[in-house]
């Protein structure tokens, strides 16, 4: 049995949408299809009239333009800088943008309060962080990616579920201004 069947919709550039449904209803699968992480067993996914799964170069290029805050944030055993600028060559990291991302994700004050500030080790898998701090670190990572890359799609997969409502509203407002 298919996780999703007979799904047809259009998302316009600059539009914000939300997928709502019960656990197991196919929300994450739909997101994975749109991001090109899964191929549909039937049907097609079009991005600006290009079939996402017909050309590997187009698929690869599309994936590079996605900023994703997953439900579970992977934290490396490294500094806050390396966790925010995750995947970037250390010599190419723009510290001013790392700080900006942390401020907008509302984790800057916490980072500054640690012994070595941005050079403090976050601990393997974020063991030294609360759930909300891990989420804000993942959000800062996404903001940094948005500041340094051409991004066409921002995906938030329960990205604020460990945050208080005030912080969640402020972060979502920041995301909405990035259109």
């Amino acid at each position: 049995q298919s996780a999703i069947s007979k799904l047809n919709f259009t998302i316009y550039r600059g539009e914000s949408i939300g997928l709502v449904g019960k656990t197991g209803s196919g929300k994450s699968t739909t997101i994975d299809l749109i991001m090109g992480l899964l191929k549909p067993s039937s049907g097609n996914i079009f991005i600006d009239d290009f079939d996402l799964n017909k050309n590997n170069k187009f698929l690869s290029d599309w994936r590079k333009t996605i900023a994703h805050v997953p439900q579970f944030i992977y934290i490396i055993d490294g500094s806050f800088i390396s966790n925010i600028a995750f995947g970037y060559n250390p010599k190419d990291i723009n510290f001013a943008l790392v700080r900006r991302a942390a401020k907008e994700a509302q984790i800057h004050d916490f980072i500054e309060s640690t012994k070595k500030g941005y050079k403090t080790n976050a601990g393997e898998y974020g063991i030294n962080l609360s759930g909300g701090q891990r989420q804000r670190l993942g959000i800062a990572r996404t903001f940094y990616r948005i500041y340094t890359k051409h991004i066409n799609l921002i995906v938030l997969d329960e990205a604020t579920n460990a945050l208080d409502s005030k912080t969640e509203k402020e972060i979502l407002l920041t995301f909405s201004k990035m259109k």
Side-chain angles (χ1 to χ4, degrees), residues 6-27:
K6 299 181 183 178
L7 181 64
N8 186 6
F9 64 94
T10 302
I11 303 171
Y12 296 98
R13 186 175 301 276
E15 186 175 39
S16 296
I17 68 158
L19 300 179
V20 180
K22 294 178 183 176
T23 300
S25 64
K27 299 180 302 290

Side-chain angles (χ1 to χ4, degrees), residues 95-105 108 118 143 147 178:
F95 184 68
L97 291 179
V98 167
R99 282 178 58 92
R100 177 180 168 199
K103 285 180 179 181
E104 292 197 355
H108 168 78
Y118 280 85
F143 285 149
Y147 303 151
M178 294 182 167

Side-chain angles (χ1 to χ4, degrees), residues 3 53 55 106 114:
N53 294 294
N55 179 306
Q106 299 188 26
T114 63

Side-chain angles (χ1 to χ4, degrees), residues 47-64:
I47 309 295
D48 293 334
D49 297 325
F50 292 98
D51 188 332
L52 183 59
N53 294 294
K54 289 287 185 203
N55 179 306
N56 285 336
K57 172 139 177 41
F58 181 76
L59 178 60
S60 175
D61 290 346
W62 169 246
R63 288 178 181 155
K64 291 175 187 173

Side-chain angles (χ1 to χ4, degrees), residues 128-144:
N128 302 324
L129 306 174
S130 71
Q133 289 164 338
R134 281 194 299 274
Q135 277 196 324
R136 288 193 305 265
L137 194 56
I139 291 166
R141 180 183 294 164
T142 299
F143 285 149
Y144 186 80

